[in-house]
Each structure stands twice: as structure tokens, then as C-alpha cells.
Amino acid sequence: MSQDHQPSIPAMVNPKANKVSTKSNWLVRKYGKRVLKQNIPLYIMFVPVILFFLIFKYYPMTGLVIAFKKYSFIKGVWGSPWAGLDSFKMIFQSPQIRSIIWNTLKLSGLSIIIGFPIPIVLALLLNEVRKMQFKRLVQTLVYLPHFLNWVIVGGIVVTIFSQSTGTLNHVIEKLFGESYPFLYKEFSWVSIFVASGVWKEAGWNAIIYLAALTSIDQSLYEAASMDGANKWQQTTKITLPALMPTIIIMLILKIGHLMELGFDQVYVLQNNAVSEISEVISTFMYKIGIQQANFSLATAMGLFESLVGLLLVISANRIARRFGQGLW
């Protein structure tokens, strides 16, 4: 008889196996209910967090529909006529907006390239300090700028680099006879912009790496020291490899914010003399969205910025996974 016409053989049923399986499922359900009842206070504490994200993070996303409409206050979000992709066409066709996107990428890229390694180096240096009083003093001094508002930091920058009243220019005038317009030259403005961001956030970002350093087994350093390894060799062979997962995760998060250059820092430091390099997406969205009430174009710019950030995070994570790391 051919295989197509073979009679089907009923599978043998084991009553004992079915009873064991039913009993195990019952135990799992009973254990799950008990754990659920025990954790009810924790779930109740978690409810405000869920409500916060639903109300202030996810619900506002419905406003992204403005990017595809010709929005007006009178007609409202849903009453305004559809405009399709007109706002996005304006983004890619306008030379001014393309220049603004390029400025954002340049300033943000420089901030990451220059500012990202500095907290790592700072954490490594602080980790080697053995006098606790001196270590705490240095930590306090490098953490403090993070808590200063950008308006205060901008005032400090102006106080130091102003052409007419700046402290640095007073010294330059005495030495060379004339002041230098640090805040009105593109190269010096970019340098001040990047340096001020590093000064403000380097100490705070170093906290994460200091916490990661505490998890390294100290016996590894003792064994390396007994084998004759110096401090540099211990750093390159033990410390940096142990920090690499944290470094990769922080780098992926930084790349995800490549297009989200901080509004406060740019707005406080920019001026008309350097507008060609200092005009970025965040300041442009403020001017066309708040000052000119062009909400559709501002929303389209924000959506474009978020999509680019999402693609950058996914790409960076895929590259990191090839080297055995990754955010997910």
C-alpha cells in the first residue's frame, strides 16, 4: 500500500502525563496569582508613572497630524484642511532649511566627537585619586556646572569673552593693543559653544562611568600588578574593556540625539554676526512656530528630527551588535 493511502495510527495517550501537566499548570496559575497579590502595592505605585507617560508623552503625539495639515487656530487640529506633504517638501526644497539642518549636524557632531571622550577620561582620573578629600572637592567642582541654567552659563561666557567688557579681552588689549571678537567670529564662536557644553556636562556624565568602575573586580588589578603591568597597561587591558559596554550604550544614546541640539545653549550664545553657523533646527522651530505661528512647518521639522534620530539609534545599535554590544 502506498504512503498516501496508509491508515492513520491514533497517538497513544498517557493519562498520567496529562494529570501531571494539568497539575503543573494549576500550580503555575496559583503561584502567579499569589505573586500578583503580593506585588499589588508596587503596581499601584507604578500607576502614576504610566499615567505620566500616557498623558505627557504619548497623547501629545496625536498633534503630529498638524504636520500634514494647513493648521489654523480658528479651525483647530481636526478642522484644518489637509496639506499632505507640502511642509516636508518645503523642508527639502528650501536652501535655508537645508543649511539649518547641516548646521545642526555640524555642531552636534563636534559636541559628540570632542565632548564624549572627556567624561570617560575624567572618570578614569578621578578613579585613580587616593586622597578622598581632594577627590570629593574635584568631584564637587566638576559636577556643579550641570546645575547652572544656560542663562547663567551664557552670562559667564559673555563676561569672559565679550569684546568690549570681557575679562579675556582686557588682558589681550594690554598685551596686543586691540581686542578680539570671540563671539562674532564663526570659528571662535563654535569653539566656545562646544567648550561651554563640555564644561557644563562633563562632570555629570562622568558619574555613570564612575559607577561602572566600581563594578570591576579589584583582584584583576592586583594580578596585573604582580605580573608587572603598569597603570597604562592596566587601564588599556582591564579598565577600558570593562567599561566598553557602558561606553557603547552611552554612545548609541548620544547618536540618537544627534539632531536634537539643545535650544537653550544655542539661543543664549547666538547673535546675528554668526547666524549662518548658529541657526539650528531648535531655534528655527522656535522662530517659525512661536514667533511666526507657522505650526505646520515647525511640527514637520520636529517629526523629521525625531525620525532621523530613530534611524540613527537603530543603525548605531546594529553596528554595536556586530561587536557583541548593543542597547537591545
Side-chain angles (χ1 to χ4, degrees):
M1 185 179 294
S2 63
Q3 293 181 357
D4 295 337
H5 299 284
Q6 286 183 356
S8 59
I9 301 174
M12 297 182 64
V13 179
N14 189 346
K16 293 183 178 180
N18 285 339
K19 289 182 179 179
V20 172
S21 177
T22 304
K23 187 176 181 180
S24 61
N25 291 335
W26 178 79
L27 289 173
V28 168
R29 288 196 298 269
K30 183 178 180 181
Y31 178 75
K33 291 180 180 179
R34 187 175 66 182
V35 171
L36 181 63
K37 290 180 180 179
Q38 291 176 349
N39 293 327
I40 284 178
L42 298 178
Y43 295 137
I44 294 175
M45 293 174 61
F46 195 63
V47 167
V49 179
I50 298 175
L51 292 176
F52 171 80
F53 278 93
L54 289 177
I55 296 172
F56 297 103
K57 298 295 183 180
Y58 291 102
Y59 178 72
M61 288 183 183
T62 57
L64 292 175
V65 71
I66 297 175
F68 305 95
K69 289 195 169 191
K70 190 176 180 180
Y71 177 75
S72 67
F73 273 121
I74 299 174
K75 297 180 180 179
V77 176
W78 305 110
S80 300
W82 290 96
L85 299 176
D86 291 347
S87 298
F88 295 94
K89 291 178 182 178
M90 188 180 297
I91 292 175
F92 295 106
Q93 292 176 359
S94 173
Q96 179 190 4
I97 297 179
R98 289 202 300 267
S99 175
I100 289 169
I101 294 172
W102 178 238
N103 289 342
T104 305
L105 291 173
K106 284 193 293 186
L107 293 176
S108 186
L110 284 172
S111 298
I112 293 175
I113 293 172
I114 298 174
F116 184 77
I118 292 179
I120 302 173
V121 176
L122 181 60
L124 293 175
L125 293 175
L126 287 174
N127 191 55
E128 295 298 326
V129 177
R130 294 294 174 259
K131 292 185 178 180
M132 293 305 298
Q133 292 182 349
F134 178 75
K135 184 176 182 179
R136 290 172 182 171
L137 176 62
V138 174
Q139 284 179 334
T140 303
L141 292 176
V142 297
Y143 294 168
L144 183 61
H146 171 78
F147 300 99
L148 300 179
N149 190 280
W150 268 114
V151 176
I152 299 174
V153 176
I156 295 173
V157 170
V158 171
T159 302
I160 296 174
F161 296 101
S162 176
Q163 186 174 3
S164 57
T165 60
T167 306
L168 183 59
N169 269 315
H170 283 314
V171 178
I172 293 176
E173 282 183 357
K174 291 182 179 180
L175 294 177
F176 302 101
E178 59 178 349
S179 60
Y180 184 82
F182 289 100
L183 298 176
Y184 303 102
K185 296 290 185 179
E186 291 187 357
F187 178 79
S188 57
W189 186 90
V190 172
S191 302
I192 293 171
F193 174 85
V194 175
S196 61
V198 172
W199 175 76
K200 187 176 185 298
E201 300 296 340
W204 182 259
N205 292 331
I207 295 176
I208 299 173
Y209 300 107
L210 284 171
L213 287 171
T214 59
S215 64
I216 302 176
D217 189 359
Q218 295 301 312
S219 62
L220 296 175
Y221 294 104
E222 295 175 1
S225 180
M226 292 178 63
D227 290 338
N230 54 32
K231 284 293 182 182
W232 175 253
Q233 292 172 331
Q234 292 177 21
T235 302
T236 55
K237 301 299 182 181
I238 299 175
T239 308
L240 288 179
L243 282 179
M244 195 54 63
T246 305
I247 293 173
I248 293 296
I249 291 173
M250 295 298 295
L251 182 60
I252 292 173
L253 295 175
K254 284 286 186 182
I255 292 175
H257 292 279
L258 184 64
M259 297 287 287
E260 299 178 10
L261 196 62
F263 168 79
D264 296 341
Q265 182 184 6
V266 182
Y267 190 75
V268 167
L269 297 178
Q270 72 177 180
N271 55 74
N272 293 330
V274 291
S275 59
E276 292 186 2
I277 188 66
S278 65
E279 193 68 52
V280 295
I281 291 177
S282 57
T283 57
F284 179 74
M285 288 170 58
Y286 166 74
K287 291 175 182 178
I288 64 171
I290 303 299
Q291 296 180 350
Q292 301 179 15
N294 191 345
F295 298 103
S296 297
L297 182 58
T299 305
M301 286 286 290
L303 181 58
F304 168 74
E305 181 183 30
S306 300
L307 290 176
V308 172
L310 177 62
L311 292 175
L312 289 172
V313 168
I314 295 174
S315 302
N317 187 72
R318 286 189 175 183
I319 295 172
R321 287 182 62 183
R322 294 184 179 182
F323 296 94
Q325 304 294 334
L327 195 57
W328 68 86

